[in-house]
Structure formats: C-alpha cells, structure tokens
Amino acid sequence: MSSRGGVRQRKGGKQNPYRNLDTRYEGTADEEAAKQRARAQSGNNNDGEPSIVDIVSEYVTKIASELKNAITKFFKSRKVEENTKIPPSEYTRTALEIIDSKAAAQFQEGNPDHEAMLVELWSLLQPDVPFERKSKNWSDIGFQGKDPATDFRGQGLLGLQNFLFMARTENQRTKDMLLRPHGGFPLAIAVINISAFLKQLLKKYDGHIGNSLFDGVSNSTDVLAIFDELFIMIFINFEEVYSNSISKYLAQGGKPEFTIMQFNPIREEYFKSLEAKVAKGFFEESFTRPARKKSLDSSRRVPTNAAASSSSPANPSAPTETEKPKEENLISFD
C-alpha cells in the first residue's frame, strides 16, 4: 500500500470509495490525481466509473430508505400504545388521587374500624369457624401467614376494601372459589394482586379508561364504589380463566399438589391479555361500562351482616353462584 499526497491506495485492489471522503489532494504534482479530484467534485467521470458523489448519493439514498422503513415499522408496532395516549380529564386525575390515597393508607393494628373489617371478612368467608385475629386459619382463605394485615402492606386499605366488598356482594361465589377442585386457590393473594394491577392499569391508561369510567364523579365514595365494581368484574374473570387453565393442566397429567405453582405464570399471562384488551379498545365494553352501571346501585354499597351475606346475595340482581360471566367478556389464552 502506498500513500501519495494523503491518498492511500491498495496495490492491485479496488480503492474503498468511503475512505476517499477524507482524501486530500493538496501538495501533489500528479496531474492525473488532480483530474480525478475535479471529476469527483463535479460528479462526472469520463472513464465511465461511478464518481465519489454518485457512490455517496446512492449510499445516502439507501440508508434513508432503510431508516424510513425502520421508523415506519417502529411506529406500527407502537400504534396501539400511541392510540391510548388520551389526556386524563380532571375527573380522572381526581379519581386516581383518591385511589392512590386509599392504597397508601395502611392497616393499623388496634384501629377499631380496621379490625372490624377483618372480623367481617372472616365471618363472611368462614362463618362456622370461631374468629381469631392471628391464626393459621387465615391461610384457608389465601393469606400467607397468621396475620392477614401483613399481606395488605403493598395495597393498603384499598386491597382490604376490595376483598371485603366482593365477600359482601358476591358472597357465595367468593366462597365457592375456595372450594374449586383444582388443588386450592390463593384467594387473598389473588385479590391483592388483581387490585394492585388494576390500579397500575388505570394509571397507565388514565385517559383511555378513566375518562369514561369517572366522568362526572369527584367524591371519594363514588370513585371507590366504581373501583370496587371494576375490581369484582375483573377478579371473577381472572378466577374463571385460572380455573379453566388448571383444569387443562390436570387433564394433561399435571399433579394437583403442584397446581399452586401455576398461579404466577397464569397471573402474568392474564395481565398481558387484559392489557391487550385495553389497548384494542375492548376493555370499555367488557368491563368499564358494566362496572360504572353497577356502581350506581346504592344497595350494593350497604354493608351486610355475615348471616345475611352467607345465605343470599346483597342484591337480587347480582350474579349468584349458578351464574357465569358472559362468554364474550372472558379473557382466554386459547
């Protein structure tokens, strides 16, 4: 390889056209090199070979085309997400603040109101078992330890309220979830998981979901009533999906003692499916409108005593244990 006036050429080989972009011809007496420089600058090449300008122009055009295709592909993949970027209304922002505040409020041991919620929850789901504030029997309804208050730390009083509201208004169905013949269902943990995910979903798709869900609603009682109803609809949907998935697992030779290990993967798959339902615009029809409509039924907000709850639904129009969610509202992994 030789160098003349800053031009580096490979002996017996074709010169790299992109290296010529930095070629300097100053300081050489070679006329042919000067002519080549003039032709390159003008874009003309009398030898019929492509000039540097031609090569660079072709290269830039190619890169621009590839970049355009890449950008187009990227925004197509983001189209669903971009479509969800609807600014939240003032009602939505207020509602999310109320929900966040409820989730941030922690269970206080010794607080009469908080303790009463646990007593009622126990009596609704285990009416034949004497109440114990701290007991291994809490695990029978899906808590991780002897003190249920510790499981609510992540979701605060919002998770406890969601659980209690479902136990009140969907009492028999909630108890039936504990009796599913699929090796057990971690009810309490599932409640806390669904409650937390729903809160995150509302924050992520605030305007997309919240603007219609909370339109005209600004007081905490109504906001939390709507959230309760939305939670119940989604939770019932999740439990149905979970139960169906476990049934398939067992039919394929899975062992009943290992069904609890399927909870996390089923939950994650459900969350992905639920978010896809939001992004595709199906969430409002399946969940948002029905939840808002149910929240207007004041009879569903009235606390019921354990005896009444265990024998009949709080509201005659509420689903009973023999009813199933409408098939079109179910999220399926099939």
Side-chain angles (χ1 to χ4, degrees):
M1 181 177 293
S2 63
S3 175
R4 298 179 59 195
V7 179
R8 299 177 61 86
Q9 296 179 329
R10 188 183 302 274
K11 291 183 179 180
K14 188 174 181 179
Q15 193 173 347
N16 185 335
Y18 306 120
R19 293 178 65 89
N20 285 340
L21 293 175
D22 281 334
T23 299
R24 294 185 298 273
Y25 292 97
E26 290 77 11
T28 177
D30 192 310
E31 294 183 2
E32 184 60 26
K35 290 179 181 180
Q36 289 180 3
R37 179 189 179 195
R39 285 198 298 268
Q41 290 177 338
S42 65
N44 297 322
N45 193 320
N46 294 333
D47 295 332
E49 294 291 330
S51 68
I52 296 300
V53 174
D54 292 332
I55 293 173
V56 173
S57 178
E58 181 181 356
Y59 177 71
V60 170
T61 301
K62 180 181 178 181
I63 293 299
S65 177
E66 292 177 352
L67 182 60
K68 178 181 178 182
N69 291 337
I71 292 174
T72 301
K73 184 178 180 180
F74 171 78
F75 278 106
K76 280 185 177 180
S77 69
R78 295 286 297 257
K79 185 176 181 180
V80 168
E81 185 175 341
E82 291 298 319
N83 287 341
T84 65
K85 301 301 181 182
I86 300 175
S89 67
E90 188 62 34
Y91 287 116
T92 297
R93 286 193 289 269
T94 299
L96 293 179
E97 289 175 1
I98 292 171
I99 292 169
D100 277 342
S101 177
K102 192 70 172 181
Q106 295 297 302
F107 182 94
Q108 297 176 359
E109 188 167 0
N111 182 304
D113 293 334
H114 297 180
E115 296 289 353
M117 294 172 75
L118 288 182
V119 172
E120 184 181 1
L121 183 64
W122 176 292
S123 62
L124 286 167
L125 299 180
Q126 301 186 111
D128 299 326
V129 180
F131 174 77
E132 294 179 84
R133 174 60 180 80
K134 296 181 181 180
S135 166
K136 63 180 182 179
N137 289 331
W138 283 106
S139 64
D140 293 340
I141 54 179
F143 286 99
Q144 293 180 318
K146 295 181 178 181
D147 186 358
T150 60
D151 287 346
F152 287 113
R153 284 177 296 189
Q155 196 61 359
L157 293 180
L158 182 63
L160 177 55
Q161 175 181 302
N162 292 155
F163 199 179
L164 183 56
F165 185 78
M166 183 170 69
R168 289 170 178 168
T169 58
E170 304 287 345
N171 183 257
Q172 191 58 52
R173 172 176 278 166
T174 305
K175 289 191 292 187
D176 286 348
M177 292 178 187
L178 298 171
L179 303 176
R180 293 285 194 196
H182 51 42
F185 178 59
L187 179 60
I189 298 304
V191 164
I192 295 168
N193 273 253
I194 297 295
S195 178
F197 179 75
L198 179 55
K199 180 170 71 74
Q200 293 173 6
L201 199 67
L202 286 174
K203 293 179 73 173
K204 181 175 181 179
Y205 297 92
D206 47 11
H208 189 70
I209 301 175
N211 288 358
S212 59
L213 187 64
F214 301 112
D215 183 38
V217 179
S218 57
N219 68 80
S220 60
T221 300
D222 291 339
V223 166
L224 295 174
I226 292 173
F227 188 90
D228 278 336
E229 296 290 359
L230 185 59
F231 163 81
I232 287 178
M233 295 193 68
I234 291 176
F235 191 88
I236 289 174
N237 187 193
F238 168 74
E239 197 279 331
E240 289 287 335
V241 170
Y242 180 83
S243 183
N244 291 338
S245 299
I246 292 298
S247 295
K248 291 179 182 179
Y249 167 78
L250 295 174
Q252 294 170 358
K255 297 182 179 181
E257 60 267 30
F258 294 149
T259 55
I260 192 65
M261 298 173 64
Q262 310 306 312
F263 177 79
N264 285 342
I266 292 173
R267 177 198 60 190
E268 293 306 314
E269 190 64 29
Y270 180 82
F271 286 172
K272 291 179 183 178
S273 299
L274 185 63
E275 187 163 355
K277 199 174 183 74
V278 174
K280 292 177 181 178
F282 299 140
F283 190 87
E284 181 171 358
E285 180 180 354
S286 299
F287 297 109
T288 303
R289 292 177 186 171
R292 167 130 183 163
K293 183 178 180 181
K294 278 192 171 185
S295 73
L296 298 176
D297 184 353
S298 59
S299 66
R300 290 176 64 83
R301 304 188 195 182
V302 179
T304 55
N305 58 47
S309 297
S310 62
S311 61
S312 62
N315 179 9
S317 64
T320 66
E321 65 274 19
T322 58
E323 295 177 305
K324 303 292 182 183
K326 292 183 179 179
E327 196 66 30
E328 61 268 24
N329 286 347
L330 285 175
I331 293 176
S332 173
F333 299 156
D334 297 331

